[in-house]
Amino acid sequence: NNNLQKMVKALFAALIFATLVFADRPKLRFNKNGTFKVLQMSDLHCGESIENDDNTTRVMRTLIHAEDPDFLVYSGDMVSGYAWDKTPGWYEKIWKRWTKVTYETEKPYAYTLGNHDNEADLGRRDIVKLDMTNPHSYTQLCPESVPGASTYVIPVYSSRDENEVVMNLWFFDSQQYTCLGVPGFGCVAHETVDWYYETSRRLEKEQGGKKPGVAFMHIPPQEWMLAWNHFDSVGNKSQMVKCQSVNTGLMAAFIERKEMVSVFTGHDHKNDWAATFKEIMVGYTRKTGYGSYGPAEGKQRGGRIQFFKEEPFSLESYIIQEDGTRDIQIPQEDKGVKQDYCDGLSPPHSIFSNEF
């Protein structure tokens, strides 16, 4: 009973906090012409050098100017927490640097964390709380019962009916490293999958039926290997998928609920492909920042556009590059060796091998 009371209090506190912060945020809404454009940027890796960060800011300005998106999505590793110089207030200083462009353009945005963001002087929940102080941020803090910090959903309303929801933007915290004791990269936890089921069913009732969903997270699910190996795709795969170390059933939940139309990630800096997997568009954005490695050789930094039409509902997606041009992606001629385990994991021993 005590644990249940604590969970209820934590959930209530989180809801109160989010309600207070978002009281002055206008609803996201399709434009009068019935369109809504999302620009996803990922893996800025700010904090490694002033020069890199200035170049990253230049890229973001160019992408925003070229496409004039209605909403920005930052899908993790905005900051190279490993570059922390051990001075207090370091993360906030770098955060002010990478969010400067949101103040300049006054573009609304949302942020879900990667595996490197909280490797400096702020934990995940404190990072989300800090980001929520930006007047252009729609980032939300999830209840403490949901692992991580940056799992939430944002509705996008109709251009014709102020109370009608057309689609929902879903954000999932894929955490850092190790999942359920399995070494490797983090995962969207079982508790988060449960949260998705509960929230999806609640919204179905509140919004008058299932609405199309668009999901973002940092670390790709294990299904990204299957999607690349066996489904038609466009774009580039220049590194192995560094996927979540355990398949916790998130994509299965999406397939079961039949509302998700796209799921895009970051994390793998040299990958930018997209595929249709079980009627869901899945894949990567293009690496945006100058910090860390990537993108793939011969590729410009950039981001992924998702362009939605309200009636009839449709989605078009493409890569926008740092010189302001669009990359028309085509199928990669040679898909290479099929991948069957996540990069960062040791492959399992053969059952026919004596070496254990």
Side-chain angles (χ1 to χ4, degrees), residues 29 78 86 145 185 203 206 209 284:
R29 191 175 298 283
M78 302 300 98
K86 306 305 178 185
S145 59
F185 288 101
L203 292 180
E206 294 176 358
Y284 296 90

Side-chain angles (χ1 to χ4, degrees), residues 14-81:
L15 289 173
I16 291 294
F17 180 68
T19 300
L20 291 173
V21 170
F22 286 97
D24 61 344
R25 302 291 197 273
K27 290 179 179 179
L28 297 182
R29 191 175 298 283
F30 274 73
N31 297 307
K32 291 180 180 179
N33 64 359
T35 64
F36 191 83
K37 184 184 291 187
V38 176
L39 166 61
Q40 179 188 359
M41 296 178 281
S42 195
D43 297 277
L44 305 182
H45 279 276
C46 291
E48 296 179 10
S49 75
I50 292 289
E51 181 181 3
N52 279 349
D53 294 352
D54 287 346
N55 281 325
T56 297
T57 300
R58 173 181 54 78
V59 173
M60 289 191 285
R61 286 180 181 136
T62 300
L63 303 183
I64 293 169
H65 177 75
E67 289 289 337
D68 190 24
D70 300 295
F71 195 72
L72 310 177
V73 168
Y74 291 99
S75 54
D77 282 2
M78 302 300 98
V79 171
S80 294

Side-chain angles (χ1 to χ4, degrees), residues 25-318:
R25 302 291 197 273
K27 290 179 179 179
L28 297 182
R29 191 175 298 283
F30 274 73
N31 297 307
K32 291 180 180 179
N33 64 359
T35 64
F36 191 83
K37 184 184 291 187
V38 176
L39 166 61
Q40 179 188 359
M41 296 178 281
S42 195
D43 297 277
L44 305 182
H45 279 276
C46 291
E48 296 179 10
S49 75
I50 292 289
E51 181 181 3
N52 279 349
D53 294 352
D54 287 346
N55 281 325
T56 297
T57 300
R58 173 181 54 78
V59 173
M60 289 191 285
R61 286 180 181 136
T62 300
L63 303 183
I64 293 169
H65 177 75
E67 289 289 337
D68 190 24
D70 300 295
F71 195 72
L72 310 177
V73 168
Y74 291 99
S75 54
D77 282 2
M78 302 300 98
V79 171
S80 294
Y82 50 76
W84 179 30
D85 61 8
K86 306 305 178 185
T87 59
W90 184 85
Y91 181 88
E92 183 172 357
K93 179 180 72 173
I94 306 302
W95 172 79
K96 289 178 179 177
R97 193 179 295 170
W98 73 259
T99 58
K100 179 181 178 182
V101 72
T102 67
Y103 286 93
E104 293 175 353
T105 62
E106 298 185 342
K107 291 290 186 182
Y109 76 94
Y111 173 24
T112 188
L113 276 62
N115 52 297
H116 290 301
D117 289 293
N118 65 310
E119 292 177 336
D121 58 325
L122 283 186
R124 296 178 88 79
R125 296 186 70 81
D126 287 331
I127 288 173
V128 171
K129 289 177 181 178
L130 172 64
D131 195 70
M132 290 171 70
T133 64
N134 184 325
H136 308 294
S137 171
Y138 282 68
T139 307
Q140 299 175 38
L141 183 67
C142 63
E144 290 186 2
S145 59
V146 178
S150 53
T151 294
Y152 53 97
V153 59
I154 304 172
V156 183
Y157 288 82
S158 170
S159 62
R160 303 187 304 265
D161 183 341
E162 66 177 17
N163 296 314
E164 180 187 352
V165 173
V166 174
M167 67 180 184
N168 292 300
L169 305 177
W170 296 84
F171 299 83
F172 295 90
D173 195 316
S174 53
Q175 304 185 88
Q176 278 192 286
Y177 305 99
T178 306
C179 177
L180 298 174
V182 177
F185 288 101
C187 64
V188 174
H190 282 136
E191 295 90 338
T192 307
V193 178
D194 290 342
W195 171 88
Y196 165 69
Y197 271 119
E198 294 166 5
T199 306
S200 174
R201 292 183 181 117
R202 174 175 59 81
L203 292 180
E204 183 180 2
K205 294 178 181 178
E206 294 176 358
Q207 297 175 350
K210 289 182 182 179
K211 303 297 180 178
V214 181
F216 302 94
M217 68 196 77
H218 184 68
I219 302 172
Q222 292 191 2
E223 283 85 355
W224 268 222
M225 297 184 292
L226 182 62
W228 175 262
N229 289 344
H230 300 289
F231 290 78
D232 291 339
S233 62
V234 295
N236 176 71
K237 180 177 185 281
S238 290
Q239 69 176 103
M240 290 180 68
V241 178
K242 296 177 179 287
C243 41
Q244 300 174 26
S245 61
V246 173
N247 188 335
T248 56
L250 182 65
M251 288 300 297
F254 292 165
I255 293 167
E256 181 182 346
R257 289 294 295 156
K258 291 182 170 58
E259 64 185 0
M260 214 62 73
V261 297
S262 68
V263 185
F264 282 103
T265 70
H267 189 56
D268 297 338
H269 301 179
K270 293 185 177 183
N271 294 341
D272 62 18
W273 55 265
T276 301
F277 174 77
K278 307 292 186 181
E279 299 181 2
I280 304 172
M281 186 183 293
V282 303
Y284 296 90
T285 184
R286 177 74 62 79
K287 183 187 186 297
T288 310
Y290 268 73
S292 190
Y293 72 94
E297 185 176 353
K299 296 293 183 182
Q300 299 182 43
R301 291 165 179 82
R304 178 170 289 280
I305 292 290
Q306 293 188 73
F307 182 68
F308 300 93
K309 291 184 179 178
E310 180 177 359
E311 185 61 44
F313 185 85
S314 66
L315 162 62
E316 176 190 2
S317 186
Y318 52 87

